[in-house]
Amino acid sequence: MSRPRSDAAGESTIDPADPAPVEGPLRPSDHADGAASDPSSSEVGSPALGVTGWLRWGWRQLTSMRTALVLLLLLAIAAVPGSLVPQRSADPNGVRQYFVDNPDLAPVLDNLSLFDVYTSPWFSAIYILLFVSLVGCVIPRTKHHYKAMRAKPPRTPARLSRLDAHRSEVLEFGDAPDAEAAAAAAIDAARAQLRKAGYRVERYDSAGTLSVSAERGYLRETGNLVFHGALVGVLLAVGIGGGFTYTGQTVIIEGRTWVNTMLDYTSFNPGRFVDEDALEPYALTLDEFALSYVAPGQQGAGQAGDFVARLTTQFPDAAAQQGEVRVNHPLEIAGDRVYLMGNGYAPTITIRDPEGEVVFSESVPFLPQDDNMTSQGVVKVPDGLRDQVGLVGFFYPTAQELTNGAFTSVYGDLEYPMLTFWVYSGDLGINDGIPRSVYTLDPSEMTQLAGGDSGAEALELMPGQTVDLPDGLGTISFDDESPEGAADLKESVKRYVSLSIHRDASATWVLVFAVLATAGLLAALFVPRRRMWVRAAADGHTVRLEYAGLARGEDPALDAAVAQFAQQHLASLGEPSPSASPTSQDSGPENRSVRDSRAGSAPDVD
């Protein structure tokens, strides 16, 4: 039986006359072409992964950069519903209104947590997976990068000419026998220049050949790691800082004071770590809400111009201070930011019983319904009268009657203010333990006594007027708040502002990490990662210099950078030193010539 033999190339050959394959030194038994225990089987099997293997495979998939990018994209997509539907954390009143406007769709969206997108289970799952993926990417790469930065530059390749960015020069010395000293001087000069240019350098010498290896651009990978680490920081800042964040809404009427306690908030949405009993103690008093309207006859007539809420801030055991809140210019106080969200009119309404006793006297906020400040409000009188009474009112700063008998406001300022009321009596529904909005009235258990389909005219009042309530229930007055002796009605009705008080404990940290991420991304994009080699070989009276470069990734300027360095290095060598020439008079430039192996000259680059 013939045996396999090796040919000149070192490959195993088999005698064609022998039909049976025979194991050779280059064909182990478990090789795809080798002998198998079952000659009829030609399939290549793979070992079973097992539980540990599958877990390792899953971890590698999760911590890959591709998975991190996919999760980042999913997180951005998952945040889209938060901008399409109102969120309870930012606009609880908008959520209630959405349920009123979309009674069929709203429960479905609520079951999908679309009104609480950023605290929903599915959003949190993507958030946590992205965090784990980024951490799993950053930590191993950081360790590898740290070791790479401490390691020496790689040895000079044996064949630099195989690199695309390559340049060679030959220095000829006419009477200089010591070419090895000239080669050593050239390598020392290259080493100094490369170190000055920011390269990490290492010299490697071998028999007859001297070389220096240099590399730089580790800032590129450092920036990449800083960018991904900053993303982790942003996730941590938002996740942890969000637990110490709260948002609340309140309404303050001119002359009233609001205190930063839970009782004074109309709505409050705290983070999971917020102590509602330990809010920063301070008070806000609305001294004045000032705004101006474009006068009739001018372009943009009726539009509101600049408006500002002037407040007095007060801390315990401290002097009061003045402050202002404008649109997009919040007031910062005790770590909170106070934003101006809306404004409107708050007519002062007084209701008396048939005996003349006051049973209700409040400045009631009316919600604007159009650009001309036609506003709607609700008055509820649960006690003091024969029956519970509810009134749905409409306020018109500049009232005008339409052809159908209804009223509307034709101007936002107080020129001809008027109040109208629909009156209901019966059960207000406030005694059954179910929270009721102060801005809405449920008349399902009540009887309409005036306005609408009641058959009686709606009540109409001007500032300072008093009219009787229907069915002998008492009287109602529209109080005039104008200073005594005022000639017009500009101050006859108080105004109110709607404020949002927001504390974001993570804002500073998010900004810091965002700046770091931007800086890291810029470094990762614009800092080139390069390696450079210079080799000098002495041969008789000549020194052959080779320059080569290698980039990690795309670097279109690499070839020009190699050419530029070669030119600078050759220029720095100057005339041969006395050690490279036995006589100084023979060391002039006429005794040396330079042959460039490349045609033309490369352009200079920075």
Side-chain angles (χ1 to χ4, degrees):
M1 183 175 67
S2 63
R3 307 300 299 174
R5 62 183 183 275
S6 297
D7 59 8
E11 296 182 356
S12 177
T13 60
I14 299 178
D15 189 348
D18 186 357
V22 179
E23 296 182 16
L26 301 182
R27 291 292 187 269
S29 59
D30 60 348
H31 192 272
D33 296 333
S37 58
D38 183 6
S40 63
S41 175
S42 60
E43 297 181 358
V44 179
S46 60
L49 289 179
V51 176
T52 303
W54 280 110
L55 290 176
R56 185 181 295 112
W57 177 86
W59 174 254
R60 289 176 178 174
Q61 297 301 313
L62 177 61
T63 56
S64 67
M65 188 56 61
R66 177 167 49 186
T67 301
L69 292 175
V70 171
L71 289 172
L72 189 61
L73 177 62
L74 286 178
L75 190 70
I77 296 174
V80 171
S83 62
L84 299 179
V85 296
Q87 300 295 295
R88 285 193 175 92
S89 60
D91 188 11
N93 293 327
V95 175
R96 297 192 191 99
Q97 188 62 40
Y98 196 92
F99 272 83
V100 173
D101 298 337
N102 305 273
D104 298 327
L105 179 60
V108 177
L109 298 182
D110 196 20
N111 291 334
L112 296 175
S113 301
L114 293 183
F115 295 113
D116 302 280
V117 168
Y118 307 111
T119 57
S120 63
W122 46 271
F123 189 88
S124 300
I126 300 174
Y127 188 92
I128 293 173
L129 286 175
L130 176 60
F131 176 79
V132 173
S133 179
L134 287 174
V135 171
C137 289
V138 171
I139 292 179
R141 289 178 60 183
T142 302
K143 293 181 179 179
H144 178 76
H145 182 56
Y146 177 73
K147 292 180 180 179
M149 291 183 64
R150 293 177 60 86
K152 295 180 179 179
R155 297 186 66 87
T156 306
R159 300 179 182 179
L160 292 177
S161 59
R162 291 185 173 182
L163 301 178
D164 291 337
H166 175 263
R167 182 185 180 96
S168 64
E169 307 284 349
V170 176
L171 303 182
E172 293 185 355
F173 297 83
D175 297 325
D178 195 359
E180 293 184 358
I187 291 300
D188 290 339
R191 182 179 183 180
Q193 290 181 32
L194 288 170
R195 180 177 285 114
K196 185 177 180 181
Y199 286 85
R200 297 168 58 243
V201 298
E202 186 69 22
R203 179 169 172 171
Y204 296 101
D205 297 346
S206 61
T209 304
L210 308 177
S211 66
V212 60
S213 177
E215 61 180 350
R216 75 173 182 182
Y218 278 96
L219 184 61
R220 183 187 187 95
E221 180 65 12
T222 302
N224 201 343
L225 292 174
V226 168
F227 170 72
H228 290 93
L231 289 183
V232 175
V234 170
L235 294 177
L236 284 174
V238 173
I240 298 176
F244 296 95
T245 298
Y246 62 78
T247 300
Q249 288 78 34
T250 189
V251 172
I252 309 180
I253 301 172
E254 284 180 329
R256 302 282 183 89
T257 299
W258 172 86
V259 180
N260 189 28
T261 62
M262 291 301 301
L263 293 176
D264 275 12
Y265 280 100
T266 56
S267 64
F268 190 77
N269 301 95
R272 58 178 58 90
F273 305 130
V274 174
D275 185 358
E276 299 179 2
D277 297 327
L279 299 179
E280 191 73 24
Y282 62 87
L284 301 175
T285 301
L286 179 61
D287 299 322
E288 178 189 13
F289 180 76
L291 80 164
S292 59
Y293 290 94
V294 179
Q298 300 181 10
Q299 185 177 3
Q303 295 182 0
D306 183 44
F307 41 93
V308 55
R310 296 187 174 91
L311 304 169
T312 297
T313 62
Q314 180 72 56
F315 288 93
D317 303 325
Q321 297 181 353
Q322 303 300 314
E324 292 184 350
V325 183
R326 300 174 183 269
V327 176
N328 298 326
H329 290 81
L331 172 69
E332 296 191 12
I333 176 172
D336 293 349
R337 285 193 169 190
V338 182
Y339 295 88
L340 180 62
M341 304 300 293
N343 67 90
Y345 290 98
T348 302
I349 300 167
T350 300
I351 298 178
R352 295 177 172 84
D353 63 12
E355 286 73 30
E357 296 292 331
V358 176
V359 297
F360 179 91
S361 183
E362 291 287 344
S363 296
V364 181
F366 277 57
L367 304 181
Q369 305 296 307
D370 57 28
D371 294 338
N372 290 323
M373 300 299 290
T374 300
S375 307
Q376 181 179 355
V378 171
V379 178
K380 298 180 182 180
V381 186
D383 301 304
L385 300 179
R386 184 176 67 249
D387 299 316
Q388 291 185 350
V389 173
L391 300 95
V392 178
F394 297 90
F395 176 70
Y396 312 98
T398 303
Q400 179 174 308
E401 188 173 2
L402 302 176
T403 55
N404 60 1
F407 287 93
T408 188
S409 178
V410 295
Y411 189 59
D413 208 355
L414 295 174
E415 298 292 342
Y416 189 73
M418 176 185 288
L419 265 176
T420 64
F421 284 104
W422 292 3
V423 184
Y424 298 85
S425 68
D427 185 8
L428 290 172
I430 61 177
N431 298 324
D432 52 9
I434 301 176
R436 305 284 182 174
S437 173
V438 296
Y439 300 107
T440 60
L441 177 67
D442 181 9
S444 58
E445 301 297 329
M446 308 185 76
T447 302
Q448 189 170 8
L449 303 178
D453 300 329
S454 65
E457 294 291 332
L459 305 184
E460 298 179 5
L461 299 95
M462 299 285 289
Q465 289 185 346
T466 299
V467 298
D468 293 331
L469 290 171
D471 204 18
L473 291 173
T475 61
I476 181 171
S477 301
F478 180 8
D479 297 345
D480 188 350
E481 302 290 341
S482 300
E484 186 175 353
D488 55 28
L489 299 174
K490 292 293 186 181
E491 301 181 20
S492 61
V493 181
K494 292 183 178 180
R495 301 204 66 136
Y496 72 87
V497 293
S498 175
L499 301 178
S500 176
I501 294 87
H502 182 69
R503 176 184 287 266
D504 190 353
S506 63
T508 302
W509 289 106
V510 170
L511 177 61
V512 170
F513 286 122
V515 171
L516 288 176
T518 302
L521 183 60
L522 292 176
L525 290 176
F526 298 109
V527 175
R529 177 78 179 273
R530 293 172 178 170
R531 286 175 178 171
M532 194 86 76
W533 292 279
V534 180
R535 174 184 288 150
D539 183 11
H541 296 291
T542 63
V543 175
R544 180 179 176 82
L545 296 176
E546 286 187 273
Y547 307 89
L550 182 67
R552 184 172 183 176
E554 295 292 333
D555 190 353
L558 177 64
D559 190 71
V562 172
Q564 179 189 17
F565 175 77
Q567 292 175 359
Q568 294 175 350
H569 179 246
L570 291 172
S572 69
L573 294 180
E575 298 180 356
S577 63
S579 61
S581 177
T583 57
S584 59
Q585 64 268 22
D586 296 330
S587 61
E590 67 276 3
N591 293 325
R592 184 189 67 179
S593 64
V594 179
R595 295 203 308 264
D596 188 354
S597 64
R598 302 185 56 175
S601 60
D604 291 343
V605 294
D606 293 334

